[in-house]
């Protein structure tokens, strides 16, 4: 039962984006009896539409609007028009995500205190602690059905995992397992168990993997309080003379501009579109963009260190069979400056199909060195590195001076320079990753550079002090009381864990806060 | 006289199947009229906008960029076919390829006295490509090929890749953890 709300209904909460942050927040608010309009730029594709075909599914639902890149990161050279891999559809990137769901560690919430002053890094402690977040992590794991929490068994290891685990153990690593995955290892919450299909990045055809598209939004819609409006691309957020936001302007499917009134606006467009929207909403009263008195909107962009290691063995592995990312080594996810860098990284199993492997193994590579690697595809194992990268003020999203999208809005430029700490960590991770595979007889290993960013973080960060960031510990912007940031843009630092569990935990907590503040008539 | 009718029909992708009388050792790909022919693999490709010799050289270049000895020429022909289609639509696209291939041939002639496709050793051809690696023509060809070659479902089995699995029930009962050599 979708609830159609009127454009001039100024009692609704408008949530922009329906991914991990937006989809969760919208559903939670609806469950609390609050009326919500969720505006989603992309279309609504249900499970039947997903294809076990990498390029085809990618072209169908990825965010392919023009973006530009700058900076010394390799992505700007290898994929200049595609800085990030983000989904544009109801459900957002939770359609393509792999399901790895890890809590941040206590010290990671205190990045500045733990790592100290690092030249060039704009480090700050989070205004929340792990202790404060624990109950919210608990709730998030329960709703997402995360394995190895709430008595849910771990997933079985596939071939890629078995190679990874054997290598890790030989090398002396202690914490290797199939991890905490928001993928059903047994039927739960009306969804079946993982069929080991192996196309987690293309949308789970069995529905075993958590996604706001089918695990959350329908529950919100069933209350009659939630209307998800697909093909609604938000262009601007408007405010009144008192500085409160009052409406959002969006282009509908036909490109016609509409205006939805709002009591509260929550932005969850992922960390490139969220700051872009605030910057594009500049006005006389907010000349540098909405909620940007700190000047931090769009800055401190983080994307996780990332790198991969692939290895070829004498015999077949067939790594593409089964869950894409159910495998983790946590031993390096500690802060141990003796390694030559601050913070740490996770190693996680990863496989790509043949078409994506060709594009991403060694972008730009060609000739026999490249093709002999591809010839070893069947005998390949692979892992991904997720490391904490340093927030840097100069890294971020700005509006392009001349280039406009089809709605006439300036396109975002994504600037990124690796910090020396990032480079030192990546080199360490490449070496350790290769050692894992060498330990079980790899004949050749490949230090693969970063892909377009799948973890986009930090561009509207939370801070205790209004001068250091964009929002407070509930994601409420320091400048505009009825404007919230509800996605990974809020992250004060990146930690070494995949971000989605934390995004969902924060959204759940934010829903509670918004409901309470509305009840008190504060917003 | 050899009949190669049993080859998988590549015509789905726009190559037409032909039967040939093979007389002696023909070059792998021959140009005749407005088309190129591959007698040994029994396919032909009609050039729409590009010169047939250009198409032939493109196929050679494609194999030199992504050399897989286990892949027949027809996969490379399918992979470059889009350049011809684009050239038919867009004069700029056509010029990029025609001029690029002309430049390639000029370099080959200067170094070896023959056109690129007729340079005998792969290493010599690769040396020419190395010298133009940064050019927009090379970038365009490589960037297109990396998708148009490896995204052909027909090549996947040759790499062992199994493709779509949902309709077969995934791998839960089909070997997701069948590794035996560890
Ligand atoms: C291949 C892949 C694998 C991943 N694997 C993992 C993993 O294993 N673990 C993990 O923790 N994370 C993973 N991630 C990352 C995870 O998907 C994201 O962190 C998470 O989805 C981000 O949530 P979000 O709400 O910020 O944005 P999204 O989920 O991306 O949702 C943003 C939504 O907002 C919409 N939108 C944007 N701008 C506008 C606008 N102006 N108007 C209207 N709508 C708009 C977009 O269309 C999109 O639907 C993966 C990502 C990818 C791509
Ligand atoms: S492997 Fe499991 S989680 Fe991944 S797509 Fe298949 S069924 Fe879904």
């Amino acid at each position: 039962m979708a609830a159609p709300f009127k454009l001039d209904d100024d009692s609704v909460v408008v949530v922009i984006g329906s991914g991990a942050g937006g989809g969760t927040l919208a559903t939670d608010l609806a469950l609390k009896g609050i009326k919500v309009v969720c505006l989603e730029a992309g279309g609504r594709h249900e499970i039947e539409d997903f294809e076990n075909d990498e390029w085809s599914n990618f072209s169908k639902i990825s965010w392919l609007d023009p973006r530009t890149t700058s900076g010394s990161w390799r992505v700007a050279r290898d994929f200049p028009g595609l800085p990030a891999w983000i989904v544009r559809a109801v459900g957002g990137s939770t359609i393509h995500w792999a399901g790895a769901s890890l809590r941040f560690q206590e010290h990671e919430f205190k990045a500045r205190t733990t790592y100290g002053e690092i030249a060039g890094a704009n480090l700050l402690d989070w205004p929340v602690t792990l202790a404060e977040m624990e109950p919210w992590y608990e709730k998030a794991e329960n709703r997402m059905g995360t394995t190895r929490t709430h008595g849910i068994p771990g997933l079985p290891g596939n071939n890629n995992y078995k190679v990874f685990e054997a290598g890790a153990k030989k090398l002396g690593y202690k914490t290797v397992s199939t991890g905490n995955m928001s993928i059903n290892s047994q039927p739960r919450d009306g969804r079946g168990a993982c069929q080991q299909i192996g196309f987690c990045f293309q949308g789970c055809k069995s529905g075993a993997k958590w996604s706001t598209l089918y695990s959350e939004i329908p529950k919100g819609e069933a209350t009659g309080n939630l209307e998800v409006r697909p093909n609604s691309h938000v262009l601007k957020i408007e405010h009144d003379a008192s500085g409160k936001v009052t409406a959002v302007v969006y282009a509908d499917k036909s490109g016609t501009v509409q205006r939805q009134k709002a009591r509260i606006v929550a932005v969850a467009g992922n960390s490139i579109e969220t700051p872009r929207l605030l910057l594009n909403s500049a006005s006389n009263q907010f000349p540098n963009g909405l909620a940007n008195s700190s000047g931090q909107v769009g800055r401190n962009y983080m994307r996780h260190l990332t790198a991969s290691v692939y290895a070829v063995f004498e015999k077949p592995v067939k790594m593409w069979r089964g869950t894409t990312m159910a495998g983790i080594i946590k031993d390096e996810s500690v802060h141990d400056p003796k390694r030559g860098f601050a913070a740490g990284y996770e190693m996680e199993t990863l496989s790509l199909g043949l078409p994506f492997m060709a594009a991403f193994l060694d972008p730009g590579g060609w000739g026999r060195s490249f093709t002999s690697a591809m010839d070893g595809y069947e005998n390949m194992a692979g892992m991904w590195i997720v490391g904490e990268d340093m927030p840097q003020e100069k890294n971020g999203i700005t509006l392009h001076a001349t280039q406009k999208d089809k709605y006439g809005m300036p396109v975002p430029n994504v600037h990124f320079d690796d910090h020396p700490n990032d480079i030192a960590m990546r080199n360490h991770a490449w070496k350790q990753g290769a050692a894992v595979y060498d330990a079980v007889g790899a004949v050749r290993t490949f230090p693969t550079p970063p892909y377009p960013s799948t973890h986009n973080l930090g561009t509207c960060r939370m801070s205790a002090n209004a001068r250091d960031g964009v929002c407070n510990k509930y994601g409420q912007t320091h400048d505009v009381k009825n404007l919230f940031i509800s996605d990974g843009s809020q992250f004060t630092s990146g930690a070494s864990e995949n971000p989605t569990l934390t995004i969902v935990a924060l959204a759940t907590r934010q829903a509670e806060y918004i409901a309470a503040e509305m009840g008190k008539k504060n917003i | 006289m050899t009949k190669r009718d049993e080859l998988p029909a590549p015509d789905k992708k726009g190559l037409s199947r032909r039967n040939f009388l093979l007389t002696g050792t023909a070059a792998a790909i021959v140009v005749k009229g407005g088309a190129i022919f591959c007698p040994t693999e029994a396919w032909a490709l009609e050039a729409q906008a590009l010169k047939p010799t250009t198409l032939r050289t493109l196929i050679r270049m494609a194999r030199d960029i992504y050399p897989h000895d286990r892949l027949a020429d027809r996969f490379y022909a399918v992979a470059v076919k889009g350049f011809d289609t684009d050239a038919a639509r867009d004069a700029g696209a056509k010029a990029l390829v025609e001029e690029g291939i002309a430049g390639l041939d000029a370099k080959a002639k200067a170094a070896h006295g023959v056109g690129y496709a007729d340079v005998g050793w792969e290493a010599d051809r690769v040396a020419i490509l190395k010298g133009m690696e940064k050019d927009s023509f090379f970038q365009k060809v490589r960037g297109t090929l990396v998708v148009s070659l490896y995204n052909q479902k027909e090549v996947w089995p040759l790499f062992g890749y199994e493709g779509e699995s949902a309709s077969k029930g995934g791998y839960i009962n089909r070997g997701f953890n069948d590794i035996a050599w560890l």
Side-chain angles (χ1 to χ4, degrees):
Chain A
M1 279 168 290
F5 295 110
K6 293 210 165 63
L7 288 171
D8 63 1
D9 184 343
D10 59 7
S11 71
V12 299
V13 175
V14 169
V15 176
I16 301 167
S18 61
T24 303
L25 175 68
T27 299
D28 262 5
L29 290 173
L31 291 169
K32 291 178 193 302
I34 295 166
K35 290 187 284 180
V36 182
V37 173
C38 178
L39 298 173
E40 167 53 55
R44 191 157 184 158
H45 299 273
E46 301 296 345
I47 289 178
E48 311 81 80
D49 293 347
F50 302 163
E51 289 174 65
N52 277 189
D53 182 315
E54 293 179 311
W55 282 121
S56 171
N57 212 70
F58 178 86
S59 356
K60 194 188 264 182
I61 67 169
S62 297
W63 187 283
L64 298 173
D65 287 15
R67 284 172 173 162
T68 59
T69 46
S70 58
S72 63
W73 59 327
R74 242 194 95 167
V75 170
R77 185 181 101 199
D78 295 338
F79 308 100
L82 189 74
W85 178 4
I86 290 170
V87 173
R88 178 195 180 96
V90 174
S93 307
T94 67
I95 295 179
H96 276 183
W97 83 311
S101 304
L102 305 167
R103 295 184 182 195
F104 287 7
Q105 304 168 65
E106 189 171 4
H107 73 268
E108 291 171 332
F109 284 105
K110 299 181 187 136
R112 175 65 181 79
T113 304
T114 314
Y115 310 145
E117 169 90 39
I118 296 180
N122 193 19
L123 283 166
L124 193 69
D125 288 353
W126 287 60
V128 288
T129 60
L130 177 62
E132 260 177 284
M133 286 304 294
E134 262 164 359
W136 302 101
Y137 274 138
E138 194 74 37
K139 281 193 215 294
E141 287 158 346
N142 188 35
R143 78 193 295 166
M144 297 165 83
T146 308
T147 57
R148 297 194 166 85
T149 75
H150 298 87
I152 304 168
L155 286 162
N158 67 353
N159 290 334
N160 198 27
Y161 174 73
K162 286 184 164 181
V163 175
F164 178 84
E165 181 193 49
K169 287 191 169 156
K170 276 223 168 123
L171 208 62
Y173 280 143
K174 300 281 181 280
T175 54
V176 52
S177 76
T178 58
N180 303 107
M181 304 296 294
S182 294
I183 294 178
N184 280 349
S185 55
Q186 56 193 29
R188 191 173 191 273
D189 194 26
R191 294 180 286 115
C194 172
Q195 300 301 302
Q196 301 286 340
I197 294 169
F199 284 87
C200 307
F201 284 178
Q202 280 66 45
C204 178
K205 292 290 287 180
S206 84
K209 182 183 80 179
W210 179 87
S211 168
T212 53
L213 172 65
Y214 43 78
S215 326
E216 300 297 329
I217 288 166
K219 291 177 190 156
E221 288 173 327
T223 66
N225 296 322
L226 169 62
E227 178 191 353
V228 176
R229 229 173 267 167
N231 304 303
S232 305
H233 184 120
V234 178
L235 307 173
K236 213 172 159 70
I237 303 169
E238 295 183 334
H239 62 83
D240 62 15
S242 76
K244 272 180 22 188
V245 295
T246 52
V248 304
V249 174
Y250 69 94
D252 69 14
K253 191 169 191 170
S254 65
T256 310
V257 172
Q258 309 283 358
R259 175 176 285 98
Q260 173 68 53
K261 289 196 173 165
R263 173 170 171 182
I264 292 168
V265 174
V267 194
N270 206 322
S271 302
I272 297 176
E273 293 308 311
T274 291
R276 176 189 181 212
L277 187 56
L278 298 187
L279 295 173
N280 269 335
S281 301
S283 62
N284 287 337
Q285 202 172 331
F286 298 108
N288 299 322
L290 210 48
N292 195 20
S293 66
S294 65
Q296 296 294 311
V297 169
R299 294 187 186 273
N300 311 304
Y301 171 64
M302 295 167 289
R303 56 171 316 277
H304 274 148
L305 175 79
T306 82
S308 308
V309 179
Y310 293 96
V312 171
F313 295 85
E314 283 176 72
K315 298 203 176 124
V317 177
K318 301 183 195 285
M319 65 172 170
W320 62 86
R321 291 183 174 183
T323 38
T324 305
M325 201 173 263
I328 188 166
I329 301 168
K330 292 188 173 187
D331 293 60
E332 301 286 359
S333 179
V334 290
H335 172 58
D336 173 13
K338 284 200 295 297
R339 292 174 299 179
F341 52 87
Y345 60 88
E346 309 277 2
M347 303 156 109
E348 301 174 352
T349 53
L350 175 71
S351 76
L352 299 178
L354 187 83
F356 273 13
M357 187 57 78
F360 297 117
L361 174 67
D362 178 16
W366 61 279
R368 292 228 173 234
S369 151
F370 178 82
T371 52
S372 62
M374 291 299 294
D375 283 336
Y377 177 74
E378 192 175 7
N379 297 8
M380 242 183 225
M383 71 167 80
W384 197 46
I385 311 294
V386 188
E388 175 162 1
D389 55 345
M390 289 295 122
Q392 300 180 71
E393 216 170 7
K394 63 180 176 172
N395 283 349
I397 316 307
T398 50
L399 299 179
H400 199 280
T402 52
Q403 216 174 310
K404 304 260 161 70
D405 70 9
K406 65 177 173 193
Y407 307 110
M409 304 307 283
V411 310
N413 181 68
V414 183
H415 179 93
F416 194 89
D417 294 316
D418 284 310
H419 188 277
N421 196 74
D422 306 346
I423 295 171
M425 188 191 291
R426 185 179 295 122
N427 287 335
H428 190 271
W430 268 331
K431 196 167 129 267
Q432 290 308 110
V436 166
Y437 291 132
D438 285 340
V440 277
V443 291
R444 198 170 158 197
T445 59
F446 308 96
T448 291
Y451 314 127
S453 317
T454 54
H455 299 172
N456 298 278
L457 308 166
T459 50
C460 296
R461 69 179 185 182
M462 44 167 81
S463 61
N465 196 315
R467 133 192 113 222
D468 299 325
V470 178
C471 57
N472 68 15
K473 64 178 183 174
Y474 297 105
Q476 182 177 32
T477 63
H478 291 303
D479 299 349
V480 183
K481 293 301 162 216
N482 65 340
L483 176 65
F484 287 78
I485 309 296
S486 313
D487 59 13
S489 317
Q490 299 172 81
F491 285 20
T492 311
S493 58
S496 61
E497 290 79 12
N498 315 51
T500 305
L501 180 73
T502 302
I503 294 175
V504 172
L506 286 172
T508 313
R509 179 165 165 273
Q510 185 178 73
E512 187 114 324
Y513 177 78
I514 290 177
E517 290 296 289
M518 284 174 82
K520 289 185 229 155
K521 303 267 186 298
N522 286 340
I523 48 177
Chain B
M1 202 171 97
T2 318
K3 244 179 142 193
R4 289 292 182 92
D5 259 352
E6 71 282 2
L7 277 174
D11 40 345
K12 277 182 293 187
K13 296 271 180 168
L15 301 182
S16 51
R17 188 148 48 135
R18 297 286 167 94
N19 299 327
F20 295 92
L21 288 178
L22 290 191
T23 50
T25 52
I29 296 178
V30 292
V31 174
K32 210 165 134 208
I36 56 173
F37 299 87
C38 181
T40 51
E41 295 176 20
W43 55 262
L45 180 58
E46 207 82 42
Q48 295 175 42
L50 296 174
K51 289 190 246 164
T53 48
T54 299
L55 264 182
R56 173 170 172 252
T57 305
L58 258 182
I59 292 171
R60 179 85 265 174
M61 180 184 177
R63 184 182 280 288
D64 290 336
I65 293 177
Y66 293 122
H68 290 287
D69 299 339
R70 63 174 95 170
L71 294 191
D73 274 339
R74 66 171 187 280
F75 299 115
Y76 293 96
V78 169
V80 303
K81 211 183 155 285
F83 288 105
D84 192 32
T85 321
D86 288 351
R89 270 201 307 263
D90 174 5
K94 180 173 171 180
L96 181 77
V97 176
E98 289 292 6
E99 284 163 24
I101 292 292
L104 196 60
D105 276 334
K107 284 196 178 118
K109 286 223 171 75
H112 306 284
V114 289
Y116 179 85
D118 294 317
V119 174
W121 286 100
E122 180 183 308
D124 291 336
R125 295 190 304 272
V126 166
I128 297 172
L129 293 179
K130 267 271 165 226
M132 53 188 284
E133 208 178 10
K134 301 262 181 299
D135 300 357
S136 57
F137 168 63
F138 181 90
Q139 292 289 334
K140 172 79 188 164
V141 173
R142 195 209 56 76
T144 303
L145 279 177
V146 78
V147 178
S148 64
L149 179 64
Y150 296 103
N151 202 33
Q152 292 177 48
K153 290 195 168 64
E154 294 77 10
V155 317
W156 295 350
L158 299 169
F159 290 88
Y161 181 53
E162 297 167 293
E164 192 276 335
S165 89
S167 71
K168 301 173 190 131
Y171 291 102
I172 185 98
N173 298 313
R174 294 192 312 125
F176 77 100
N177 59 356
D178 65 358
I179 196 162
W181 55 263
L182 268 172

